[in-house]
Amino acid sequence: MALPTLKETFKNNFLNPSSLLIILFTSFIYYCLSVLIINYRLIQAFILGDGPLLFKLTLLKELIIGAYSALGQRDFMLLIISSLLVGANLLILVKTLKNLKEAGGKITLTIGGITALGIMVAGSCSCGFSLLSLLGLAGALSFLPFGGLEVHLLVIGLLAFSFWYSFKNYHQKVVCKIK
């Protein structure tokens, strides 16, 4: 029996309806959390304040839908790309853990750090500076020529590399050894 190629593994494990649904669902959750974190003061004021529940839910819905106009086209597209990459990374994490558990293999994680960084830097490029200012890097980053776009592109690059590296390991260590 021939071992599957990387392309076959990707097609069989990630381009099926259930996997795509999981990626889209986790991406949507990530997107919603990113948009709501940007507007946390407004949400806090309305959620904790008096008012009908329907109004509060309508406000949340409008914030999520209106993110395109609030963030700008470039930041919105970067948020969508980051969301999809986080969803793909979480899916491969779950699939790896599930397959290793079924096969009785040793479980190691290589995804967490980049996904966590992606989650923290989501939203507009300037939101990444909030995280970095907590780390004491805001002064140094204020001299970046593209106003923080570099940070978001770096995170997208790291998320893409994390997915590629994790998928390659998934294929070599899980799929090939199990079959």
Side-chain angles (χ1 to χ4, degrees), residues 4-12 167 171:
T5 63
L6 277 171
K7 184 178 178 180
E8 291 169 343
T9 301
F10 186 76
K11 182 179 175 186
N12 294 335
F167 175 72
H171 173 72

Side-chain angles (χ1 to χ4, degrees), residues 23 26-27 30 80-92 111 114-119 155 159:
I23 290 172
T26 55
S27 297
Y30 174 83
I80 296 297
I81 292 168
S82 295
S83 298
L84 291 171
L85 286 169
V86 166
N89 273 297
L90 290 176
L91 176 67
I92 200 163
I111 297 172
I114 301 305
T115 302
L117 183 62
I119 289 170
V155 167
L159 282 168

Side-chain angles (χ1 to χ4, degrees), residues 67-83:
Y68 176 77
S69 60
L71 292 176
Q73 187 176 12
R74 180 187 70 192
D75 289 334
F76 183 76
M77 290 308 298
L78 291 172
L79 176 59
I80 296 297
I81 292 168
S82 295
S83 298

Side-chain angles (χ1 to χ4, degrees), residues 34-158:
S34 299
V35 170
L36 296 177
I37 286 171
I38 294 169
N39 298 297
Y40 77 94
R41 289 181 194 251
L42 176 65
I43 293 168
Q44 182 182 14
F46 277 101
I47 296 295
L48 297 177
D50 292 331
L53 179 62
L54 184 61
F55 177 73
K56 293 176 182 181
L57 293 175
T58 304
L59 173 69
L60 293 176
K61 179 189 79 151
E62 293 301 324
L63 284 173
I64 290 168
I65 292 172
Y68 176 77
S69 60
L71 292 176
Q73 187 176 12
R74 180 187 70 192
D75 289 334
F76 183 76
M77 290 308 298
L78 291 172
L79 176 59
I80 296 297
I81 292 168
S82 295
S83 298
L84 291 171
L85 286 169
V86 166
N89 273 297
L90 290 176
L91 176 67
I92 200 163
L93 173 67
V94 168
K95 283 189 172 283
T96 301
L97 292 174
K98 180 182 171 192
N99 286 340
L100 286 173
K101 184 178 178 183
E102 289 173 0
K106 183 179 177 186
I107 297 175
T108 58
L109 300 178
T110 58
I111 297 172
I114 301 305
T115 302
L117 183 62
I119 289 170
M120 289 184 248
V121 180
S124 66
C125 297
S126 62
C127 294
F129 287 117
S130 301
L131 169 69
L132 294 174
S133 67
L134 294 174
L135 302 174
L137 300 174
L141 291 175
S142 64
F143 295 105
L144 292 175
F146 299 111
L149 178 63
E150 303 90 340
V151 176
H152 211 135
L153 292 176
L154 175 67
V155 167
I156 288 175
L158 290 172

